[in-house]
């Protein structure tokens, strides 16, 4: 099977499948990473919720480019596969696995209180997902369904702001104007900061950042007395810039995940001489200072509430679920058309292709 195959992979559906309630389809499609550089759709029986669970019919899912590219290429280090699994993934890393964590859909079975509600969950690219009722986050009334996809990225950004921490009156720089960096910057812009700059090498991306009401500068023009630098470029050059523009005794929060890739980090000059700190942040845990007072669910709910209309501008492309194997191969391989992408949305047509019972 080639990496761009869109042929459905159908497990054994011998015998008469359980049709479930008449308004629901008999089968459902799921995106799986079958092997390194190989993604495909599987058609399976419709999942059924158990006690305390709900069945969600997906409207949209979103591609988190950095993490999902690492998964697609098979670059998850064996020592951390358990730590880096998505909350509701199927299978086990490295593969076969159905990963992903940006999903908005409608509750079709389960809790009467949630039935018919549109919710965000940390589920992946599957037409139907089953998750615990407690892990469903009902969208605010003024939040469009596609904007809600940013909630999962928003909690990554919020986690980094808490990790530093970023405080009122701080001078803050965000290095890297991709999905994580821009989400983090938009959240940071809600704080009363003395200065907030987004450091971005691409001129076109800087223009987009400026349209969001943020200050975007090239690395050469960045201020160098920052209290906090949030790095998300996933590159050695970006991390070198972060070290250079951090003020004395400042903290650099590393938001990038490099997988099995090796990075060159210039620690010989700024790092030691100016007593800098590089802090890791990983969304699997709430940062220590707040861990006793905030659950992961509360953090995600806060991120969902913090989304505003500026996030709509960051939706840069869309494809159907049927196209996802090819799209994911392009994204993970940095095909030219993907380089301008920020959040790529996957549309899930509501059961249009299924036979009903």
């Amino acid at each position: 099977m080639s990496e761009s195959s869109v042929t459905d992979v159908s497990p054994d559906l011998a015998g008469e499948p359980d049709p479930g309630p008449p308004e629901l389809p008999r089968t459902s499609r799921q995106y799986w990473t079958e092997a390194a550089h190989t993604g495909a759709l599987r058609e399976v029986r419709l999942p059924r919720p158990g006690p305390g669970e709900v069945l969600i019919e997906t409207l949209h899912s979103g591609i988190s480019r950095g993490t999902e590219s690492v998964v697609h290429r098979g670059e998850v280090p064996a020592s951390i596969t358990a730590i880096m699994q998505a909350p509701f993934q199927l299978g086990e890393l490295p593969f076969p696995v159905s990963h992903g964590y940006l999903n908005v859909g409608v509750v079709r079975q389960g809790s009467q209180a949630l039935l018919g509600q549109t919710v965000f969950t940390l589920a992946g690219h599957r037409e139907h997902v089953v998750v615990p009722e407690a892990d469903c986050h009902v969208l605010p009334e003024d939040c469009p369904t596609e904007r809600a996809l940013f909630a999962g990225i928003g909690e990554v950004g919020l986690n980094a702001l808490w990790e530093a921490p970023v405080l009122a009156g701080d001078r803050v720089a965000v290095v890297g104007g991709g999905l994580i960096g821009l989400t983090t910057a938009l959240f940071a812009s809600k704080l009363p900061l003395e200065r907030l700059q987004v450091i971005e090498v691409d001129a076109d991306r800087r223009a987009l950042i400026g349209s969001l009401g943020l200050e975007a500068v090239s690395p050469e023009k960045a201020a160098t007395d920052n209290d906090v630098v949030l790095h998300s470029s996933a590159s050695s050059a970006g991390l070198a810039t972060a070290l250079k523009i951090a003020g004395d005794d400042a903290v650099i929060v590393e938001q990038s995940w490099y997988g099995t890739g090796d990075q060159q980090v210039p620690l010989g000059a700024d790092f030691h001489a100016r007593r800098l700190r590089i802090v890791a942040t990983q969304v699997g845990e709430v940062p220590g200072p707040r861990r006793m007072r905030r659950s992961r669910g509360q953090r995600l709910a806060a991120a969902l509430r913090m989304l505003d209309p500026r996030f709509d501008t960051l939706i840069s492309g869309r494809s159907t679920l049927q196209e996802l194997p090819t799209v994911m191969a392009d994204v993970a391989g940095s095909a030219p058309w993907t380089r301008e992408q920020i959040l790529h949305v996957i549309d899930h047509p509501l059961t249009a292709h299924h036979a009903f019972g």
Side-chain angles (χ1 to χ4, degrees):
M1 182 184 300
S2 69
E3 67 175 5
S4 61
S5 172
V6 294
T7 302
D8 285 4
V9 179
S10 300
D12 182 11
L13 294 176
E16 187 65 27
D18 180 0
E23 71 275 9
L24 292 174
R26 294 173 175 172
T27 61
S28 182
R29 293 183 299 175
Q30 304 172 340
Y31 175 75
W32 283 71
T33 304
E34 301 289 354
H37 304 283
T38 304
L41 298 180
R42 292 184 180 185
E43 187 165 10
V44 301
R45 292 181 182 178
L46 183 74
R48 303 297 294 273
E53 296 179 329
V54 298
L55 172 70
I56 297 168
E57 192 169 47
T58 301
L59 296 172
H60 313 286
S61 57
I63 297 176
S64 180
R65 178 173 184 158
T67 297
E68 294 188 58
S69 292
V70 170
V71 171
H72 182 82
R73 295 191 297 260
E75 295 176 353
V76 181
S79 61
I80 61 168
T81 53
I83 297 173
M84 298 308 297
Q85 66 181 4
F88 301 114
Q89 75 177 39
L90 303 178
E92 300 293 334
L93 291 168
F95 30 72
V97 64
S98 181
H99 202 266
Y101 52 92
L102 306 176
N103 185 293
V104 172
V106 179
V107 176
R108 296 302 188 196
Q109 283 185 331
S111 164
Q112 287 298 313
L114 290 174
L115 205 61
Q117 296 269 34
T118 303
V119 297
F120 173 86
T121 66
L122 292 168
H125 307 287
R126 306 193 292 271
E127 284 186 315
H128 298 85
V129 296
V130 170
V131 303
E133 175 184 341
D135 291 300
C136 295
H137 296 269
V138 178
L139 272 58
E141 289 186 4
D142 60 347
C143 182
T145 56
E146 294 177 1
R147 185 189 305 167
L149 290 171
F150 289 94
I153 304 300
E155 71 167 345
V156 175
L158 185 57
N159 216 56
L161 297 177
W162 286 352
E163 195 85 63
V166 174
L167 303 174
D170 275 354
R171 302 162 182 166
V172 178
V174 176
V175 178
L179 177 59
I180 298 294
L182 290 182
T183 298
T184 304
L186 287 173
F187 276 13
S189 72
K190 297 176 181 291
L191 301 172
L193 303 176
E194 180 176 323
R195 185 183 63 233
L196 173 63
Q197 291 184 327
V198 181
I199 318 304
E200 172 56 47
V201 297
D202 184 82
D204 291 337
R205 182 59 58 87
R206 290 198 299 270
L208 170 64
I209 296 168
S211 73
L212 298 171
L214 301 171
E215 181 184 0
V217 298
S218 65
E220 299 77 22
K221 295 184 178 180
T224 59
D225 58 348
N226 292 288
D227 300 296
V228 177
V229 181
L230 302 131
H231 175 242
S232 63
S233 78
S235 70
S236 295
L239 185 51
T241 295
L243 288 166
K244 186 179 298 184
I245 67 175
D248 291 355
D249 293 297
V251 60
I252 296 100
V253 180
E254 179 57 86
Q255 296 180 274
S256 302
W257 183 31
Y258 300 96
T260 56
D262 291 327
Q263 302 299 315
Q264 298 295 316
V265 184
L267 300 181
D270 295 274
F271 182 67
H272 285 286
R274 299 198 292 107
R275 304 169 305 281
L276 304 180
R277 289 179 294 142
I278 301 177
V279 177
T281 184
Q282 203 279 326
V283 75
E285 295 290 349
V286 175
R290 286 177 173 75
R291 199 170 298 169
M292 299 303 294
R293 302 185 303 278
R294 299 287 193 283
S295 68
R296 286 182 292 179
Q298 289 171 327
R299 179 187 60 192
L300 180 55
L304 180 59
R305 291 192 299 269
M306 290 174 68
L307 300 177
D308 62 52
R310 292 177 295 175
F311 283 90
D312 301 342
T313 306
L314 305 186
I315 296 173
S316 53
R318 62 192 323 117
S319 302
T320 65
L321 181 63
Q322 185 69 25
E323 297 170 310
L324 181 54
T326 299
V327 170
M328 193 68 76
D330 284 351
V331 168
S334 296
W337 73 266
T338 70
R339 293 171 190 165
E340 301 304 315
Q341 294 293 300
I342 301 177
L343 179 67
H344 195 89
V345 174
I346 302 301
D347 292 319
H348 296 243
L350 290 176
T351 65
H353 73 290
H354 285 294
F356 287 77

